[in-house]
Amino acid sequence: MIMKEYSLNPVLSIFFFLSLMILFLEMAVAQNTTSTIPVNVGVVLDLASLDANIALSCINMALSDFYASHGDYKTRLVLNTRDSKKDVIGAAGAALDLIKNVEVQAILGPTTSMQANFVIDLGEKAQVPIISFSATSPSLTSIRSSYFLRATQNDSAQVNAISAIVQAFGWREAVPIYIDNEYGEGIIPYLTDALQEVDARVPYRSVISPSATDDQIVEELYKLKTMQTRVFIVHMYRSLGTRLFTKAKEIGMMSEGYVWIMTDGLSVDFLSSPNHSVTDTIQGVLGIKPYVPRTKELEYFRARWKRKFLRDKPNKIDAELNIYGLLAYDATTALALAVEKAGTTNFGFQKANVSSNSSTDLATLGISLNGPNILRALSTTSFKGLTGDYLFVDGQLQSPAFQIVNVNGNGGRRIGFWTPTEGLVKTLNPRINKRMNSTATSRVSTVIFPGDTTAVPKGWEIPTNEKKLKIGVPVKDGFSELVAVTKDPGSNTTTFTGFCIDVFDAVVKALPYALPYEYIPFANSDGEPAGTYNDLAYQVYLKNYDAVVGDITIVYNRSLYIDYTLPFTESGVSMIVPIADNNSKNAWVFMKPLTWDLWVTSFLFFVFIGFAVWVIEHRINDDFRGSASDQAGTSFWFSFSTMVFAQRERVVSNLSRAVIIIWCFVVLILTQSYTASLASLLTVEQLQPTVTDVRELIKKGEYVGYQKGSFVLGLLLDLGFDKSTLMVYSSAEECHHLFSKGSGNGGIAAAFDELAFIKLILSRYCSKYTMIDPKFKTGGFGFVFPKGSPLVPDISRAILNVTEGDQMKQIEGAWFGKKSTCPDSSPSISSNSLSLKSFWGLFLIAGLAALLALIIFVVMFVYRERNVLRSSDSTASIWSRIENFFRIFIQRDSTSSTFRQSDLKDRNGISLPPMCAPSPSDYSVHTEYPANRSSASYDSSPNREAPQEVV
């Protein structure tokens, strides 16, 4: 017994110890509970909706997680939940009750943007922060309430992502389909601006009432189906969106060729908790969703939330955590941090001073004393939340990125991302994105569009009623090669022919799809033209015609209200004038082959070459010696006689021979060119334009012509022509008739028209007229379509396809080939005279050769006579030295072999070979020296003048 009692004592001791520990813990908890300060906050949600229940569960979990990790905080948020009952008035009443009766310090909610619009006003009046994690309408920003904080993405943030998708796939039009309330209307201005920035039009806006019946939805869809646009952007609530897509599938608008894009609201609603019956109706639809990075914390929270939600709502098995739940979690965390940061005093309200007789609920609404402090704390609070970096900037949560999803199967497949800095990208890896084009479809994964096709829809179709395009065609009398409208009175049929008609037919055939159309003449009932080309283009703006085909020129003023395709003809406006033989064969015609600068240069070079030869030859060649007049005459005669190669004088210096050889080559080319040019002037008819300058026409007041109904009239008036001097013509024959009369006899001196018409005139009268510059640049001929028509880019690409191939040559040959036998009648109006520009190279070579020869001669002369120049009086002046130099220079060089041979021939009567000197045995030489000089003083310098010789 003693042993048993002893064995029980340790057990009793353990139980006693545990009891004491539990008692101490309860006392500590009680003490801690009594030390915390409860802070009332309101929650206003549509508790009947699944999203609201998901958000509410996340709010409760956020408070539990926050205070579990921040047990030392003195404040504790106490939730006061109210049901707004999916009603604007219900939300406002719930908020009023929370502020007035509960005196909450902040409100989380409400759910929709329309509800938030009323609640924000209450919060502003009572200075209670309103934190909404689901009100996304941009219109709420215009309220400019400092007590409203949007803890979600603004709808305007996603419009650039949508426009990037439209631009990447090359769609030129898009129709927004949105709900008719503040939520739907708020995004439209921003969406329209974003689409216009990428050159995409919004031709129509489809507005659907929240209470619309299925029949009304189908009626609107059929209206969209009859239009040509096939790109639709849907922005509405889930309930209405589900009905819309269901009806769209029923009437065949979810088939191939259609494009549907959902905004983030629908994308989140449809894809967060996918329902097979819903996803089956939106196969191939593109969607925008806020991007939330996947982290371990997020996955752990998702698992915890799923267990808790199924425990609380066991009948909601298909519920999935969505972006609104995550935003609610982070918004609650931010509010808990801000309340703690704001302090623990002044949680009361200042009552309003109003009389009891006139008081209302709004009039008696108090003002929160701690509201401004909480607002400041919220504005400066930042942390790492489940959705990423959490920070308010001007009361708005910033958007880091959006993900692009494509609905396939029972869910959404991510095909890319959009970021404010990178634009459309396939991944968020910067290294990969740098190698890609931000606007190309390659920056997203393959998209499976409605109809289970990967082929990118062109974004528009011919309306289902197969209405033909009404093509307006101008009616005119002349230039039928370009466009002609012929009506058969017997059969009452109209035939359209011409170059422009054939080009348009070929372009339509080159399109990758069928395009039904019919030509309609722009004429009155009597068959006369119904107006000018401007009037015809304006009919497209008035939607009387779908397009215009003809010789329509691309000009700026029309492009303000219609669109042109790319031009299919050469562009420009030029002047056509008569040509005449202006070659006057008078007595001075021989001067015309050379211009005055070439005449002067040739004369100066003849003089310079003669001077150079005289300088080199006059000391060693008797032909260039004599009196000054003889030497000058000989030099000029020798130089100018090279013109006909009749020079008789010998040249003995190799330097002179080199100069003469080069100069003779220059003279040969110059004379031959002169002969050819003179022969052309005397024998060939020189056709020149009668007018070469527009200013000359204006100055003289000459009459000029232009085509009837052409925009050229405005161009001529802008150039300065008087309207009284302008005359019209309708055909090439009328233009020729006006030219035949002449400017002073009821005709014209020049005509201005586009190049295509001028070429037609010249093809008929190529021997009478010519086209001269200047050419005024225009856009050429193009086809006219309504402003923003999706046909314009396709037609323009087809024009390039036709003009770059052989088909355009065949069309031109069919209409212009048989009349293009005339040579090009657009001569360059330049002088037939030869100018210095053609020969300056030859003159440069000859001049350098002569100058080099002179330099070599002077250097050799100075070196040979250096002793004589040095022996002159050192006290002599510079002028005396110069005189002595020129005295020696003009003297005969008796030491030259030429003069020695000449002397020997004169004395012996024998002509010696130039390279053979006489030997001493042939003759004796006796030299007499002056009496006053000894033989020892004789200067044997070769530069000294030779003494008298006696044989």
Side-chain angles (χ1 to χ4, degrees):
M1 291 294 295
I2 296 175
M3 292 296 295
K4 184 179 287 188
E5 291 178 2
Y6 179 77
S7 62
L8 291 175
N9 290 333
V11 177
L12 294 174
S13 300
I14 293 173
F15 276 109
F16 180 72
F17 178 75
L18 291 175
S19 300
L20 290 176
M21 290 294 295
I22 292 172
L23 180 61
F24 286 140
L25 288 174
E26 291 178 350
M27 293 175 62
V29 171
Q31 183 178 1
N32 187 43
T33 303
T34 57
S35 63
T36 58
I37 301 174
V39 179
N40 288 320
V41 295
V43 179
V44 179
L45 298 172
D46 297 330
L47 297 180
S49 67
L50 177 62
D51 289 339
N53 284 276
I54 293 173
L56 185 58
S57 65
C58 290
I59 292 173
N60 288 317
M61 290 184 67
L63 293 179
S64 300
D65 294 344
F66 182 80
Y67 292 119
S69 58
H70 298 84
D72 57 332
Y73 277 20
K74 295 182 179 180
T75 57
R76 293 294 185 271
L77 298 186
V78 178
L79 299 180
N80 297 269
T81 306
R82 297 291 186 271
D83 185 6
S84 60
K85 300 178 181 180
K86 295 185 179 181
D87 183 61
V88 175
I89 303 300
L96 182 61
D97 175 61
L98 290 171
I99 295 174
K100 183 178 180 181
N101 300 324
V102 184
E103 295 186 347
V104 294
Q105 301 299 307
I107 294 179
L108 291 169
T111 305
T112 67
S113 300
M114 294 181 64
Q115 295 171 355
N117 201 356
F118 288 89
V119 176
I120 290 172
D121 292 336
L122 295 176
E124 180 74 19
K125 183 175 179 61
Q127 296 186 3
V128 174
I130 308 298
I131 308 169
S132 177
F133 49 82
S134 57
T136 59
S137 175
S139 62
L140 298 178
T141 306
S142 62
I143 300 176
R144 302 186 183 277
S145 172
S146 58
Y147 283 87
F148 171 64
L149 293 96
R150 194 198 305 268
T152 184
Q153 309 300 333
N154 191 329
D155 279 339
S156 62
Q158 63 179 315
V159 296
N160 290 326
I162 296 174
S163 65
I165 296 174
V166 173
Q167 182 185 30
F169 289 101
W171 299 318
R172 302 301 302 274
E173 287 187 353
V175 173
I177 306 175
Y178 58 95
I179 188 171
D180 188 13
N181 60 17
E182 188 170 358
Y183 169 74
E185 295 171 351
I187 193 177
I188 297 305
Y190 300 91
L191 179 61
T192 303
D193 292 343
L195 291 174
Q196 288 178 349
E197 288 179 1
V198 296
D199 295 329
R201 291 179 62 246
V202 179
Y204 178 73
R205 299 179 184 183
S206 178
V207 185
I208 298 179
S209 172
S211 59
T213 63
D214 289 348
D215 292 339
Q216 291 174 332
I217 294 176
V218 170
E219 182 182 357
E220 182 65 21
L221 289 175
Y222 270 119
K223 185 177 181 181
L224 295 175
K225 192 174 182 179
T226 59
M227 298 178 182
Q228 62 183 8
T229 307
R230 290 295 181 265
V231 180
F232 306 109
I233 302 171
V234 184
H235 181 67
M236 57 185 58
Y237 295 143
R238 173 173 179 160
S239 58
L240 185 60
T242 302
R243 295 164 56 203
L244 174 75
F245 283 112
T246 300
K247 295 304 176 182
K249 184 177 182 181
E250 290 178 0
I251 66 174
M253 293 183 67
M254 298 300 297
S255 58
E256 185 175 353
Y258 286 88
V259 179
W260 295 85
I261 303 175
M262 300 184 298
T263 58
D264 65 344
L266 273 179
S267 300
V268 171
D269 290 340
F270 281 159
L271 302 178
S272 297
S273 301
N275 186 307
H276 178 71
S277 62
V278 175
T279 56
D280 184 59
T281 63
I282 59 174
Q283 293 296 304
V285 175
L286 295 173
I288 310 294
K289 291 177 61 179
Y291 173 65
V292 179
R294 297 190 64 175
T295 61
K296 293 181 180 179
E297 293 79 5
L298 177 59
E299 295 303 317
Y300 177 64
F301 174 77
R302 191 185 300 275
R304 290 195 303 118
W305 174 87
K306 187 69 174 179
R307 290 194 299 268
K308 182 179 184 304
F309 192 79
L310 289 178
R311 187 167 59 247
D312 297 339
K313 307 283 185 179
N315 58 331
K316 303 293 184 181
I317 301 176
D318 296 333
E320 294 292 338
L321 182 64
N322 56 29
I323 185 64
Y324 298 123
L326 299 178
L327 292 172
Y329 185 96
D330 287 344
T332 305
T333 303
L335 181 58
L337 286 170
V339 169
E340 182 70 22
K341 188 187 299 185
T344 58
T345 59
N346 297 328
F347 284 121
F349 273 66
Q350 180 181 350
K351 301 299 181 180
N353 296 322
V354 293
S355 62
S356 58
N357 294 331
S358 61
S359 64
T360 62
D361 287 341
L362 293 178
T364 59
L365 199 63
I367 298 177
S368 174
L369 298 177
N370 205 33
N373 297 330
I374 296 177
L375 179 64
R376 282 192 296 269
L378 280 169
S379 302
T380 59
T381 297
S382 63
F383 59 95
K384 187 75 172 180
L386 294 178
T387 57
D389 294 332
Y390 202 90
L391 174 65
F392 287 107
V393 177
D394 296 330
Q396 171 66 55
L397 194 64
Q398 299 304 293
S399 173
F402 287 95
Q403 57 179 329
I404 316 299
V405 295
N406 183 207
V407 180
N408 301 127
N410 198 32
R413 177 175 57 92
R414 186 169 64 199
I415 60 173
F417 298 89
W418 181 88
T419 65
T421 56
E422 296 289 335
L424 201 61
V425 294
K426 184 177 291 186
T427 66
L428 291 179
N429 188 339
R431 295 182 180 178
I432 298 177
N433 296 334
K434 286 182 179 180
R435 301 193 297 267
M436 297 183 179
N437 182 359
S438 61
T439 60
T441 56
S442 61
R443 302 213 61 166
V444 295
S445 301
T446 302
V447 179
I448 302 176
F449 292 98
D452 197 22
T453 177
T454 57
V456 178
K458 59 179 178 291
W460 68 277
E461 294 286 349
I462 298 299
T464 55
N465 55 12
E466 296 185 356
K467 178 183 176 182
K468 292 183 178 180
L469 292 179
K470 295 185 296 182
I471 308 296
V473 179
V475 176
K476 53 194 304 183
D477 296 330
F479 300 104
S480 58
E481 294 89 347
L482 292 173
V483 60
V485 179
T486 306
K487 188 173 182 179
D488 186 0
S491 59
N492 198 24
T493 59
T494 304
T495 305
F496 301 88
T497 58
F499 171 75
C500 299
I501 300 297
D502 286 357
V503 170
F504 185 76
D505 292 341
V507 166
V508 172
K509 291 179 181 178
L511 292 174
Y513 48 85
L515 183 65
Y517 62 94
E518 61 178 346
Y519 293 120
I520 300 176
F522 183 58
N524 297 322
S525 57
D526 57 357
E528 294 297 320
T532 64
Y533 282 83
N534 287 336
D535 299 331
L536 177 57
Y538 196 69
Q539 295 301 312
V540 177
Y541 174 75
L542 298 177
K543 297 184 179 181
N544 294 327
Y545 294 130
D546 297 315
V548 170
V549 171
D551 47 351
I552 308 292
T553 305
I554 301 174
V555 292
Y556 168 74
N557 62 337
R558 298 174 189 160
S559 66
L560 297 176
Y561 52 88
I562 51 97
D563 274 349
Y564 289 103
T565 63
L566 289 178
F568 57 90
T569 62
E570 186 180 0
S571 63
V573 172
S574 190
M575 180 172 65
I576 180 174
V577 297
I579 53 177
D581 185 8
N582 290 335
N583 185 16
S584 56
K585 301 177 177 63
N586 51 32
W588 299 98
V589 69
F590 70 90
M591 296 292 292
K592 291 190 66 176
L594 305 183
T595 58
W596 69 269
D597 55 346
L598 185 55
W599 279 115
V600 173
T601 303
S602 300
F603 175 78
L604 293 178
F605 261 82
F606 274 115
V607 175
F608 176 64
I609 296 299
F611 171 76
V613 173
W614 173 81
V615 168
I616 299 173
E617 293 286 333
H618 82 284
R619 299 189 75 244
I620 61 175
N621 192 340
D622 281 334
D623 289 343
F624 290 88
R625 295 196 61 80
S627 64
S629 59
D630 291 340
Q631 294 185 48
T634 301
S635 300
F636 278 106
W637 157 257
F638 178 82
S639 177
F640 283 94
S641 63
T642 59
M643 191 187 318
V644 292
F645 306 101
Q647 65 273 16
R648 294 184 296 102
E649 291 75 16
R650 297 178 303 121
V651 287
V652 297
S653 173
N654 289 332
L655 294 176
S656 301
R657 291 168 180 169
V659 171
I660 292 301
I661 289 173
I662 295 174
W663 176 243
C664 286
F665 177 72
V666 175
V667 171
L668 175 65
I669 294 177
L670 193 61
T671 54
Q672 293 296 325
S673 301
Y674 174 84
T675 303
S677 180
L678 181 61
S680 175
L681 287 173
L682 295 175
T683 59
V684 179
E685 185 181 22
Q686 301 295 318
L687 297 177
Q688 296 292 331
T690 55
V691 180
T692 59
D693 192 355
V694 177
R695 290 171 294 184
E696 181 182 350
L697 292 170
I698 300 174
K699 182 178 180 181
K700 293 182 178 180
E702 299 282 3
Y703 286 85
V704 298
Y706 67 95
Q707 189 179 167
K708 183 179 180 181
S710 174
F711 73 97
V712 176
L713 171 62
L715 175 63
L716 295 177
L717 295 176
D718 292 340
L719 289 175
F721 283 96
D722 192 307
K723 194 170 184 178
S724 61
T725 63
L726 303 181
M727 306 184 69
V728 298
Y729 57 86
S730 300
S731 63
E733 292 76 12
E734 288 188 23
C735 182
H736 172 62
H737 181 66
L738 291 175
F739 272 124
S740 301
K741 290 183 176 181
S743 178
N745 301 312
I748 57 176
F752 289 83
D753 215 330
E754 296 175 79
L755 296 181
F757 299 106
I758 288 179
K759 289 182 178 180
L760 285 175
I761 297 174
L762 294 180
S763 66
R764 298 185 183 184
Y765 309 102
C766 58
S767 62
K768 298 181 180 295
Y769 311 107
T770 186
M771 179 175 60
I772 65 172
D773 290 334
K775 291 181 180 178
F776 304 96
K777 190 67 176 177
T778 62
F781 291 165
F783 303 127
V784 175
F785 285 89
K787 198 73 174 177
S789 172
L791 278 172
V792 172
D794 290 345
I795 293 292
S796 296
R797 281 188 289 268
I799 288 174
L800 292 177
N801 186 21
V802 172
T803 55
E804 292 176 357
D806 296 333
Q807 194 170 7
M808 179 60 81
K809 296 180 181 178
Q810 296 174 1
I811 297 174
E812 290 177 347
W815 290 102
F816 310 125
K818 59 185 178 182
K819 298 182 180 180
S820 60
T821 56
C822 293
D824 184 11
S825 56
S826 300
S828 59
I829 310 303
S830 60
S831 174
N832 292 324
S833 301
L834 301 174
S835 65
L836 180 60
K837 293 181 180 179
S838 304
F839 300 96
W840 70 270
L842 291 174
F843 285 115
L844 178 64
I845 295 173
L848 291 176
L851 184 61
L852 182 62
L854 288 175
I855 293 174
I856 295 174
F857 171 78
V858 171
V859 172
M860 294 176 60
F861 171 75
V862 172
Y863 178 77
R864 197 183 313 156
E865 302 294 338
R866 64 186 182 281
N867 292 331
V868 177
L869 296 175
R870 288 174 182 172
S871 63
S872 59
D873 188 1
S874 60
T875 61
S877 63
I878 295 177
W879 180 250
S880 300
R881 292 174 180 270
I882 293 175
E883 286 183 337
N884 185 41
F885 175 80
F886 279 103
R887 188 180 300 110
I888 298 173
F889 176 75
I890 63 176
Q891 289 178 357
R892 175 178 176 179
D893 185 5
S894 58
T895 62
S896 171
S897 61
T898 303
F899 283 139
R900 289 202 303 268
Q901 293 176 16
S902 178
D903 289 342
L904 291 176
K905 179 178 179 181
D906 293 341
R907 294 185 177 102
N908 298 332
I910 301 173
S911 177
L912 299 176
M915 299 303 293
C916 181
S919 63
S921 61
D922 294 331
Y923 55 86
S924 299
V925 179
H926 301 275
T927 306
E928 296 180 356
Y929 297 97
N932 60 346
R933 299 184 66 177
S934 63
S935 60
S937 63
Y938 173 68
D939 186 1
S940 60
S941 172
N943 298 322
R944 182 181 177 276
E945 186 176 354
Q948 186 179 6
E949 296 179 345
V950 179
V951 180

